[in-house]
Amino acid sequence: MLIRVSNENYTTQKGRESWGPKGYIAYSKLCTHLGCPVGLYEQELQLLVCPCHQSMFNVTNGAIPEFGPAPRPLPQLPLYIDAEGNIRAQNGYDQPVGPGFWERHNV
Amino acid sequence: MISSLARRLPLLLAVGFFTAGPLLLFVGPANALNYTQTTRRNAGTPNSTISVKKDGKVVKYGNKYIIYKAPSSDLDALGEALYMENCASCHGAQANGVPANGTSGAFPDLVGLGPATIDFWVDSGRMPAKDVRAIEAPRRQPALTPNQALAISAWVNSLSPSYPDIPTPNLKNANVAEGAALFALNCAACHTIEGDGDALAFDTFAPSLRHIPAFQVVEAIRTGPANMPRFTGNLSDKEVDDIVQYVTTEIQHPNNPGGFGLGGLGPVAEGFVGLLLGVGILVLICYWIGERS
Amino acid sequence: MSDVTVPTTKRAKKAAEGPYGKIGQAINELDDRLGVAKGGRTFMDKIFPDHWSFMLGEIALYSFVILLVTGIYLTFYYVPSVAHVIYHGSYKPLDGQSVTQAFASTVNISFAVRGGLLMRQMHHWACDIFVGSIVVHMARVFFTGAFRKPRELNWTIGLTLMILAIGNGFLGYSLPDDLVSGTGIRIAYSIMESIPLVGTYLAFFVFGGNFPGTATIPRFFILHVLILPLVIIGLVTAHLFLLVRQKHTQFPGEGKTEKNVVGTPMFPVFMAKTTGFLFIVGGVTALLGAFAQINPIWQFGPYDAARISYAVQPDFYMGFLDGALRIWPSWSFASFGHTIPFEVFVPAVILPGIIFNIAYVWPMLERKFTHDNEIHNLLDRPSQRPKRTAAGVAVLVFISMLFIASSTDLIANFFHLSLNYVLWAMRFLVIVTPFIAYPITYKICKELQGVKGGGKRKTPNVVTRTVEGEYLATPTPSYSEDVMEELHPTPVPIFIEAEPDEPVESGVRTVDR
């Protein structure tokens, strides 16, 4: 899901300096707890909340879980704005989206 | 984190919920943004198809789905008086969020928010706030009349004219089925699929949508009051109109066969009824016939 | 002309047919060929002890009958397919939406099929009552010690039935493919995926590929309407057969010993009661189905992986799992190139595993600790076994708290509290309340043991007025059947008496009919 948090380029974490052009940042919508769509955004708290089991992810620092049962941050999609002004993904997610499973490599 | 009303976000804030399955990794983000750009024209700002101008000032714009109309400047004087009486103690005489004692940042700055924002907060009874220190101002019986709310928004807007203006949705052109789908995608995550609202993170609440007039639904979607995200580019006026149609018909007056709705609380209420009424009555009957031979 | 042997009048004809009329004659004819009378006689003479709590299991049995009847009706109209169709039905807010056939057919059952909504709602209510009454019945069996030797096997069967009922309930809940149940399947998939080593393969195998697949709904359908009901019917038959075979337990009382069964025969008294009860269960279910809405899937809309509603909970019998998932902290293990999602695996797999396994082995555990290896046909009063009662109450409280934890958001909304505080409170309460419930129950049981006349019906006091105007209250003697005897467990003869089997040299054997 795509959120616009400011007008400036937005850095959520170290190493993600160019991932939020013009304040647009994108996270996977699949909760890392059980895979529900994290469709609940609170703009003042800047929290994404999972409606299933109330895991709360802080949008400003790379969707690190602040509360609830989710163990991992939501994977962030690196964005850039091309010459025509369209938002595009620099590449795919750097890790599997959604809940954990045995074969998942820890990153 | 909790003292959030003080730390208002930059208002340019939009949330896009992509309809594609989240596993699809946004393979075509270009399409997604073109979509945003083409529909942005109708997103509550006055560069949409119909616009009426009078001495350079935009007073009315919109399309066949929603008409946005600026409040009449005749109301400015009344609005100023009402503002000073009801709002200035917190938001300050200049409406910049600095009260008379000079502490800035404690209360929201109202300049440049657009008439729809001011009108929504006052007309839904949230403002003037009952408890100014509360995290959220819940919906109440409005203290001011709709016309007084309009007057206040007219005066605040006269300080620095901005958008969106007061919307009037035209529900005749709305499609309730598309509204239902958009509601499930964009609104149900907080307000629940039956529109009853629920508790969100850290003492914040999504309000019930059961008793909210149509134009306020548009105002809320377009201005994003409090913790609600502001939907601008990703919902066109037609889509907002569809959602409003769904909210004002199926959420507020549901075609709902099957008996008492159990308050829309879903399986929790159903479980209680099933256990207490169903099993409970049967156990009592069991007791009644079991003790007789 | 008039022959005395040929009956002419109606009455005479009737008299010639014998006391049971034509039906009796027909049964006689049948018995001559099939020899069913003996078995039928034994069945009809089966003695049922009189206590209201012995009928709790029948609520479950009869709600299962209602589930079968209403379920058959629903299969006529339900389409178990996830092929997409454009809905054009009488429910306007869905008109023109692309939905799965499963969802469209369920909406059609609710709006277009005559009596369909009533059947759907009755089916769902009957399911809630089915699982609920199984729990109540199980609690009765547990607290009265009816699971003890020789009935451990029936306890095991009953417990398996409960798990199957819960499982089948979840499958049925998932069939409409609506937004809420689709989220439930998504969670079930993730839970299965969380099992270390085999989880991914298991989830792929069970759900027929990655989520959301096209195989899930058809598979769930065949499991829900055919395979699990057949297993349940088989186990219910075994459950009842063992009940008849082992004879019913009874509470201690006058003339009641370990070796006898005191009660009313199956026919006519018990038969009348229980048939009446069948109709009452049906009536209550029909009333709920007609007047209380359940699972309005047309409001939820079709499932879509990106859509979600807040305040979604599973049906109440899965609530304890949802609650455990909510309150469990985010402890995950990720190392050596593998991830073990303990935050899912522990509350959703290990925890129910522990709960159900303790329930399975409880009869054995109790035998081991009490060294009581006798056969028991007389029941305990719960207060006589304070430790067992207290342990049972503690477990029930634990599960109930988990159930309550599944609605933290609703509690926070209703009482206008912070969601985070409610969740922390539930974390605390789930752990603490069982430890509070245990000693309190234990103490109450101990106190009850000391109460004079405990467990007996209260007798009235007769108040008399003397000639001087003084009032005297004299207690009347207690009911004769309430006089307790000192009872000691005594071994009962083994039920099956094996007859010496002497084979003839030729290998031909003669067996009595």
Side-chain angles (χ1 to χ4, degrees):
Chain A
M1 56 193 293
L2 183 70
I3 303 169
R4 186 168 195 194
V5 289
S6 93
N7 275 332
E8 308 300 319
N9 289 351
Y10 205 86
T11 301
T12 52
Q13 269 184 333
K14 246 184 138 82
R16 298 182 179 182
E17 283 81 4
S18 66
W19 289 19
K22 292 199 174 165
Y24 285 101
I25 50 180
Y27 291 111
S28 155
K29 205 180 179 183
L30 280 188
C31 184
T32 54
H33 181 224
L34 284 165
C36 290
V38 189
L40 196 167
Y41 179 60
E42 297 201 59
Q43 64 142 330
E44 286 187 342
L45 300 176
Q46 295 182 298
L47 282 181
L48 280 166
V49 183
C50 177
C52 287
H53 301 99
Q54 284 87 42
S55 298
M56 298 169 189
F57 304 90
N58 193 331
V59 166
T60 57
N61 65 358
I64 286 177
E66 285 210 340
F67 188 85
R72 283 180 306 279
L74 298 171
Q76 188 179 350
L77 192 69
L79 303 176
Y80 74 100
I81 297 182
D82 69 7
E84 290 160 27
N86 294 329
I87 295 181
R88 290 179 181 277
Q90 297 177 15
N91 39 51
Y93 291 106
D94 58 357
Q95 52 183 301
V97 297
F101 50 93
W102 174 251
E103 290 84 358
R104 186 185 192 283
H105 291 271
N106 41 299
V107 276
Chain B
M1 188 91 273
I2 296 178
S3 65
S4 54
L5 219 125
R7 301 189 314 138
R8 269 188 85 83
L9 261 186
L11 271 151
L12 263 173
L13 196 149
V15 179
F17 297 88
F18 286 90
T19 39
L23 272 171
L24 298 180
L25 298 178
F26 296 175
V27 273
N31 293 339
L33 198 78
N34 280 335
Y35 167 80
T36 305
Q37 286 183 326
T38 50
T39 53
R40 193 166 192 92
R41 283 184 288 127
N42 305 328
T45 45
N47 44 357
S48 50
T49 46
I50 315 162
S51 66
V52 182
K53 300 190 181 197
K54 191 173 74 182
D55 45 280
K57 265 177 87 178
V58 176
V59 291
K60 192 176 163 192
Y61 57 93
N63 46 46
K64 65 172 177 169
Y65 302 109
I66 301 175
I67 300 288
Y68 298 86
K69 201 173 167 190
S72 158
S73 54
D74 302 347
L75 290 166
D76 286 0
L78 172 65
E80 182 169 13
L82 284 166
Y83 179 88
M84 295 307 162
E85 190 184 322
N86 293 292
C87 323
S89 61
C90 292
H91 294 284
Q94 280 86 43
N96 55 1
V98 184
N101 64 11
T103 35
S104 76
F107 296 98
D109 179 359
L110 304 181
V111 176
L113 290 187
T117 312
I118 315 292
D119 183 60
F120 177 83
W121 282 88
V122 178
D123 202 38
S124 66
R126 292 163 203 274
M127 289 290 152
K130 197 178 175 190
D131 174 7
V132 293
R133 276 180 299 276
I135 291 170
E136 286 191 326
R139 183 180 202 87
R140 288 186 298 138
Q141 187 65 36
L144 302 168
T145 64
N147 199 47
Q148 288 172 324
L150 264 182
I152 293 176
S153 68
W155 179 73
V156 175
N157 194 46
S158 71
L159 300 174
S160 162
S162 47
Y163 308 105
D165 285 317
I166 312 292
T168 310
N170 182 2
L171 297 179
K172 282 197 192 104
N173 294 326
N175 180 338
V176 71
E178 293 189 7
L182 287 164
F183 185 87
L185 192 62
N186 294 294
C187 318
C190 298
H191 292 284
T192 81
I193 195 77
E194 299 189 350
D196 285 296
D198 205 351
L200 308 178
F202 295 107
D203 230 344
T204 57
F205 297 86
S208 164
L209 304 177
R210 297 273 189 204
H211 309 284
I212 170 167
F215 76 97
Q216 283 187 13
V217 181
V218 185
E219 286 177 342
I221 293 172
R222 285 298 185 218
T223 66
N227 264 306
M228 179 164 161
R230 194 172 112 156
F231 296 85
T232 50
N234 58 333
L235 288 179
S236 68
D237 280 344
K238 180 195 183 308
E239 288 169 323
V240 172
D241 201 28
D242 294 344
I243 292 175
V244 174
Q245 172 76 328
Y246 180 72
V247 169
T248 50
T249 55
E250 296 304 322
I251 294 283
Q252 298 184 347
H253 311 284
N255 163 25
N256 217 0
F260 299 110
L262 306 183
L265 291 178
V268 173
E270 287 162 6
F272 272 108
V273 170
L275 285 180
L276 296 180
L277 263 179
V279 181
I281 286 177
L282 288 172
V283 168
L284 285 179
I285 291 169
C286 203
Y287 183 73
W288 177 61
I289 57 175
E291 289 293 289
R292 209 140 307 248
S293 341
Chain C
M1 195 146 135
S2 63
D3 195 332
V4 277
T5 54
V6 178
T8 46
T9 60
K10 261 189 177 175
R11 180 173 292 186
K13 270 182 187 163
K14 219 167 184 183
E17 284 170 356
Y20 298 110
K22 276 191 176 141
I23 297 169
Q25 274 186 340
I27 289 173
N28 268 339
E29 296 288 326
L30 208 61
D31 185 40
D32 287 346
R33 285 159 184 83
L34 299 175
V36 290
K38 195 165 167 249
R41 184 81 246 165
T42 329
F43 181 67
M44 287 212 275
D45 283 346
K46 166 135 179 62
I47 300 296
F48 275 90
D50 274 329
H51 193 274
W52 66 271
S53 70
F54 296 163
M55 294 180 75
L56 292 174
E58 280 160 50
I59 305 178
L61 181 65
Y62 296 141
S63 50
F64 182 62
V65 172
I66 293 159
L67 280 173
L68 288 179
V69 174
T70 52
I72 288 169
Y73 189 84
L74 295 177
T75 55
F76 295 157
Y77 302 100
Y78 175 74
V79 184
S81 158
V82 287
H84 274 258
V85 291
I86 304 294
Y87 176 80
H88 288 298
S90 52
Y91 189 64
K92 285 294 159 236
L94 288 170
D95 196 43
Q97 277 202 45
S98 169
V99 298
T100 59
Q101 281 196 332
F103 183 78
S105 60
T106 315
V107 174
N108 276 335
I109 288 172
S110 309
F111 285 95
V113 174
R114 192 170 291 271
L117 183 58
L118 179 68
M119 286 292 161
R120 246 197 79 220
Q121 300 209 128
M122 277 180 73
H123 194 69
H124 206 136
W125 282 121
C127 170
D128 277 11
I129 292 174
F130 183 46
V131 183
S133 57
I134 289 176
V135 174
V136 174
H137 171 60
M138 222 178 115
R140 197 281 294 170
V141 168
F142 180 83
F143 288 121
T144 58
F147 58 84
R148 290 173 301 173
K149 192 177 174 184
R151 295 182 179 79
E152 298 101 326
L153 180 61
N154 231 11
W155 168 260
T156 311
I157 293 176
L159 196 55
T160 312
L161 275 170
M162 184 179 76
I163 295 168
L164 287 173
I166 291 175
N168 214 18
F170 175 76
L171 293 178
Y173 175 78
S174 306
L175 287 182
D177 199 28
D178 59 292
L179 182 60
V180 176
S181 72
T183 311
I185 302 178
R186 163 78 248 193
I187 291 172
Y189 186 90
S190 301
I191 289 173
M192 202 163 274
E193 212 182 28
S194 78
I195 300 169
L197 206 64
V198 295
T200 321
Y201 296 98
L202 203 62
F204 259 68
F205 177 70
V206 171
F207 290 85
N210 215 332
F211 181 85
T214 50
T216 313
I217 294 285
R219 282 187 189 186
F220 277 19
F221 178 70
I222 210 71
L223 281 169
H224 178 76
V225 302
L226 184 70
I227 296 169
L228 285 189
L230 278 183
V231 178
I232 290 176
I233 289 171
L235 285 177
V236 165
T237 314
H239 202 64
L240 294 179
F241 172 77
L242 279 178
L243 166 83
V244 173
R245 180 83 202 141
Q246 293 176 328
K247 308 222 165 36
H248 208 288
T249 51
Q250 56 190 352
F251 278 108
E254 193 193 23
K256 298 177 181 175
T257 69
E258 294 281 12
K259 291 181 190 171
N260 66 5
V261 191
V262 182
T264 44
M266 179 82 174
F267 189 84
V269 179
F270 187 77
M271 202 69 127
K273 265 192 196 179
T274 196
T275 315
F277 204 35
L278 167 66
F279 290 116
I280 289 171
V281 174
V284 169
T285 316
L287 281 176
L288 279 173
F291 292 112
Q293 187 188 60
I294 188 161
N295 206 15
I297 51 130
W298 54 90
Q299 287 190 349
F300 303 155
Y303 178 68
D304 177 300
R307 293 183 193 173
I308 183 76
S309 165
Y310 202 27
V312 284
Q313 275 91 6
D315 267 1
F316 81 88
Y317 42 83
M318 301 289 284
F320 74 103
L321 275 181
D322 193 59
L325 281 166
R326 280 185 189 208
I327 62 168
W328 198 265
S330 57
W331 298 331
S332 184
F333 171 86
S335 201
F336 309 112
H338 290 292
T339 302
I340 305 176
F342 281 124
E343 80 283 357
V344 178
F345 183 57
V346 175
V349 181
I350 300 280
L351 182 86
I354 290 175
I355 293 174
F356 286 125
N357 274 307
I358 287 180
Y360 271 119
V361 300
W362 183 272
M364 270 173 270
L365 279 182
E366 196 176 301
R367 261 209 325 266
K368 191 168 161 58
F369 282 111
T370 57
H371 304 292
D372 176 3
N373 208 19
E374 304 294 338
I375 282 178
H376 294 277
N377 289 320
L378 284 178
L379 295 171
D380 293 327
R381 300 193 60 78
S383 61
Q384 286 173 329
R385 305 277 176 216
K387 281 182 187 163
R388 179 207 291 151
T389 307
V393 169
V395 170
L396 279 183
V397 165
F398 177 67
I399 295 175
S400 308
M401 291 321 270
L402 285 179
F403 172 53
I404 293 172
S406 76
S407 52
T408 43
D409 54 323
L410 295 178
I411 295 170
N413 194 37
F414 192 78
F415 296 105
H416 229 269
L417 300 164
S418 165
L419 178 66
N420 303 54
Y421 292 147
V422 171
L423 201 110
W424 268 108
M426 286 317 301
R427 282 179 174 172
F428 179 72
L429 286 173
V430 163
I431 297 167
V432 168
T433 44
F435 289 102
I436 298 174
Y438 186 95
I440 290 178
T441 317
Y442 188 84
K443 190 76 188 147
I444 291 174
C445 290
K446 282 289 186 193
E447 294 280 326
L448 279 174
Q449 283 177 6
V451 174
K452 203 161 171 282
K456 293 168 192 165
R457 275 178 285 175
K458 288 204 166 51
T459 54
N461 287 345
V462 178
V463 180
T464 47
R465 183 173 182 271
T466 62
V467 280
E468 286 84 23
E470 189 187 0
Y471 287 94
L472 288 174
T474 339
T476 50
S478 55
Y479 296 95
S480 59
E481 64 265 33
D482 280 352
V483 178
M484 276 268 213
E485 296 171 33
E486 268 310 305
L487 291 161
H488 299 286
T490 42
V492 189
I494 300 164
F495 291 105
I496 304 161
E497 285 169 25
E499 284 184 17
D501 197 12
E502 290 165 27
V504 192
E505 277 170 31
S506 64
V508 176
R509 291 192 298 176
T510 315
V511 181
D512 290 334
R513 275 188 199 281

